Amino acid sequence: MGPLGQLADLFLNASRPVIFTGAGVSTESGIPDFRSPGGIWDRYSPIDYRDFMADPEARRETWRRGLHTYPVLLAASPNPAHLAIAELERLGKLNCLITQNIDGLHQRAGSSPALVIELHGNAHFVTCLACSARFERADIHRRVEAGEAEPSCERCGGLLKPTTISFGEQLPFEAIERAKCASSNCDLFVVVGSSLVVYPAAGFPELALRAAAQLVIVNASPTHLDSFAAVRFEAKAGEVFSQLMDGLRLRLASRPA
Ligand code: NAD
């Protein structure tokens, strides 16, 4: 049996499957990842959380960058990998979806918000650091486009920040705990489009391995956990998942009722 058949079998036989996605699941939607050539790091150096809090120029730079980066997120549509992951949930073949991504494409593809654990926040919202009011990023983006270099909260005048986790900022405690719990209790853990170099997020597949789960890696380039994978695809996520779903649908349709 080929690797696609093996992957279909793993999904059919798993009772607590978890999928873990990184920036690579969204490159086929036109959103560059961080570390591939031409990725985001080639263009921007990260803005540290402490600088954002202390330095008005760092905040202005954040909103200025958003003028270029946010329209890319806004225009992106889910690709076949996002759509397949949402279909796996509808088929009852997904227990938990952990993502490092901030683009909200899993939810737009139809994954239930309750199933998705966002480790690094979501770029489509902005929050006031003083009164915790929450705004649509698109509305704040329009204010920046109209000339506000550093938009402030229209309710209390407080500092606004996109609800993404900055470098040096603490990861959301509840999301991390839920992700740890799901990883430690799964029987299948599928990595999709992550270089697995950012911790603690990249530690989740290690927790799954310690729980004796089967590990699958779908990534365009090698990772340090490849030798532990039961099945591994060095390929584009959209292609692998489209083919997986074609096979899975046939297998499910031919199963006795
Ligand atoms: P990364 O950039 O470190 O790694 C992405 C991996 O995906 C690479 O190993 C690359 O080879 C692989 N890849 C690229 N295209 C692929 C494809 N079509 N199919 C399969 N694999 C593909 O990304 P990361 O590990 O997710 O981690 C870094 C951080 O980047 C995360 O914190 C995340 O928040 C942030 N990020 C998010 C987005 C987004 O929301 N779409 C985009 C860029 C960065």
Side-chain angles (χ1 to χ4, degrees):
M1 185 189 298
L4 277 165
Q6 285 176 274
L7 182 55
D9 263 359
L10 286 171
F11 269 110
L12 288 173
N13 295 328
S15 51
R16 296 175 308 281
V18 169
I19 292 182
F20 174 83
T21 64
V25 80
S26 295
T27 55
E28 289 163 79
S29 294
I31 304 173
D33 62 14
F34 272 2
R35 291 176 181 81
S36 296
I40 291 170
W41 283 158
D42 283 356
R43 274 171 278 157
Y44 301 112
S45 54
I47 295 173
D48 197 79
Y49 180 64
R50 260 182 281 183
D51 292 336
F52 182 92
M53 299 304 286
D55 178 4
E57 180 44 31
R59 293 196 286 276
R60 287 193 286 270
E61 173 61 14
T62 298
W63 296 112
R64 247 193 323 267
R65 279 183 191 183
L67 285 175
H68 304 288
T69 55
Y70 189 60
V72 176
L73 292 191
L74 210 50
S77 304
N79 68 51
H82 299 107
L83 295 169
I85 291 169
E87 188 177 347
L88 283 168
E89 177 189 349
R90 285 196 297 280
L91 293 171
K93 290 288 152 206
L94 190 58
N95 252 33
C96 175
L97 173 54
I98 307 170
T99 187
Q100 293 180 278
N101 292 344
I102 56 168
D103 54 35
L105 286 179
H106 286 303
Q107 295 89 329
R108 281 187 48 201
S111 290
S112 323
L115 196 88
V116 184
I117 301 178
E118 291 177 318
L119 298 173
H120 295 162
N122 185 311
H124 294 289
F125 299 94
V126 166
T127 189
C128 172
L129 299 179
C131 74
S132 302
R134 198 172 155 91
F135 303 98
E136 296 278 342
R137 173 74 179 261
D139 293 336
I140 307 300
H141 182 76
R142 273 191 287 276
R143 287 169 55 188
V144 181
E145 278 180 326
E148 281 186 59
E150 190 195 340
S152 56
C153 177
E154 56 201 21
R155 297 195 195 156
C156 77
L159 281 187
L160 291 182
K161 185 178 181 299
T163 56
T164 47
I165 305 299
S166 304
F167 275 79
E169 182 174 359
Q170 220 158 25
L171 295 176
F173 178 77
E174 198 204 323
I176 296 292
E177 290 306 305
R178 280 178 63 207
K180 274 189 199 162
C181 182
S183 308
S184 306
N185 290 293
C186 69
D187 52 0
L188 172 63
F189 192 99
V190 182
V191 175
V192 189
S194 175
S195 58
L196 296 179
V197 297
V198 182
Y199 280 84
F204 299 125
E206 293 171 3
L207 284 179
L209 281 172
R210 256 181 258 151
Q214 300 276 8
L215 176 67
V216 174
I217 299 181
V218 182
N219 201 55
S221 57
T223 78
H224 74 289
L225 290 181
D226 285 354
S227 58
F228 295 93
V231 192
R232 186 182 153 255
F233 298 84
E234 197 165 322
K236 285 189 173 174
E239 290 169 11
V240 171
F241 274 85
S242 300
Q243 292 170 37
L244 168 72
M245 295 318 292
D246 290 344
L248 255 184
R249 282 186 217 109
L250 280 178
R251 303 261 294 265
L252 285 167
S254 61
R255 270 187 162 186

